[in-house]
Amino acid sequence: MKLAMIGLGRMGANMARRLMKEGHQVAAFDLNPENVAALAKEGAEGASSLADLAARLPRPRVAWVMVPAGEPTEKTVMDLAAHFEKGDILIDGGNSHYKDDARRSRALAEKGVLYLDAGTSGGVWGMERGYCLMVGGDEGAFRHCESVFKTLAPGMGDIPRTPGLKNPAGSAERGYLYCGPSGAGHFVKMVHNGIEYGIMQSFAEGFDILRHASSPDLAPELRYGLKLEEIAELWRRGSVIGSWLLDLTSIALNKDPELSSFAGRVQDSGEGRWTVQAALEEAVPAEVLTASLYARFRSRQQNTFGEKLLSAMRNEFGGHVEKK
């Protein structure tokens, strides 16, 4: 399939590379012409504007928008839609709020443009590992673009099939899923990120406890000088808490056991807040997710080793750099 990729940052450019590697044709646009030129050298078709980009696509046009959530996404989607026609498909693969998706979908439907929201997880590792994709919007548009989702997704890999899997014919075990109408994809991704906050906070607090096991406040016979990088590696092997986040924790601690390059000021990208807001709207208790969000707020006032580890994990999976 030939499609457009708008936004050639850390994820957008790598997604385009993965698509091209598997035989898709990519027309690329970014506000920075240098990013377009760099990807064009790798086989993409560079465009000089959104109008130029739209003119390069066959009907029905398919465009994937991968720019920061909020006003950048709003402007890009609406500006591009002005060059699209009935039956063309716009995909927002960023971290938009699901209520914005529902609103945009209604607005684009007035001119017959189809809109998909694609929650995308995979970070800077996605080009090699694949991206977990949570998609909402018009189901017909999803089916038309399914070859794109299938290429970007990780596939089954070496993960064994879940015993008793309810829908073995479905796409979930291959790493992509049609979740429902407009907003459903980003809603699922939002909660995914809220859960991520909680898991990361658990690792951070646990390793902080391990690090302080040698505290002078403890009885001398109960002080332990533990090597955190070795414990992280140990837990990767057969432990019930083994996970990709633990893999990244081990990488970070083996690079720098003291995490001396991190201050521990942990940012939040919005989805954690939105998850807590959704819990409030649904009257669903979410103590762990709420506490993990508040811990990030506190980290900007005083920093612990655990918060340095949170920053280190964010850097490993997403290339997120601490704000000084």
Side-chain angles (χ1 to χ4, degrees), residues 79-313:
D79 287 353
L80 185 58
H83 304 289
F84 272 27
E85 301 171 76
K86 184 176 180 179
D88 292 345
I89 301 169
L90 258 168
I91 306 169
D92 174 13
N95 281 325
S96 292
H97 194 286
Y98 67 97
K99 293 181 180 179
D100 289 335
D101 292 317
R103 173 179 53 77
R104 286 191 202 114
S105 178
R106 291 193 299 270
L108 297 186
E110 293 180 3
K111 63 177 299 183
V113 175
L114 304 174
Y115 179 87
L116 295 174
D117 49 285
T120 307
S121 181
V124 296
W125 299 74
M127 186 171 69
E128 297 177 5
R129 288 171 52 100
Y131 302 88
C132 178
L133 300 167
M134 298 143 265
V135 187
D138 183 88
E139 188 169 4
F142 168 80
R143 298 300 172 198
H144 180 80
C145 299
E146 191 162 6
S147 66
V148 173
F149 299 129
K150 188 174 182 178
T151 297
L152 289 172
M156 290 189 65
D158 58 359
I159 300 174
R161 172 167 284 175
T162 299
L165 186 68
K166 295 294 185 184
N167 184 16
S171 64
E173 67 176 355
R174 297 193 292 277
Y176 68 97
L177 182 68
Y178 175 73
C179 298
S182 290
H186 277 148
F187 184 85
V188 174
K189 175 58 161 54
M190 174 191 76
V191 177
H192 162 283
N193 284 23
I195 292 170
E196 175 188 296
Y197 280 33
I199 295 172
M200 291 173 68
Q201 187 64 31
S202 296
F203 278 130
E205 292 176 8
F207 277 94
D208 217 358
I209 294 168
L210 293 171
R211 185 173 186 267
H212 286 87
S214 59
S215 169
D217 294 332
L218 299 171
E221 68 274 16
L222 297 177
R223 296 176 193 166
Y224 307 115
L226 303 171
K227 294 183 177 181
L228 304 192
E229 68 276 16
E230 293 192 0
I231 292 172
E233 185 61 25
L234 168 70
W235 285 350
R236 294 182 63 221
R237 313 292 173 173
S239 163
V240 72
I241 60 171
S243 66
W244 187 42
L245 284 174
L246 182 59
D247 296 345
L248 299 177
T249 297
S250 182
I251 291 172
L253 289 171
N254 276 280
K255 284 181 181 176
D256 177 10
E258 293 300 317
L259 303 179
S260 56
S261 61
F262 297 95
R265 292 177 57 84
V266 188
Q267 300 302 312
D268 68 285
S269 55
E271 299 90 337
R273 301 186 190 208
W274 299 342
T275 301
V276 172
Q277 290 169 353
L280 290 170
E281 292 173 4
E282 298 171 9
V284 172
E287 295 94 334
V288 172
L289 306 190
T290 303
S292 66
L293 175 64
Y294 288 173
R296 294 191 177 202
F297 296 162
R298 184 183 55 76
S299 77
R300 298 162 207 169
Q301 300 172 1
Q302 55 179 325
N303 311 129
T304 66
F305 182 82
E307 281 143 5
K308 290 184 179 183
L309 185 56
L310 284 173
S311 285
M313 282 190 278

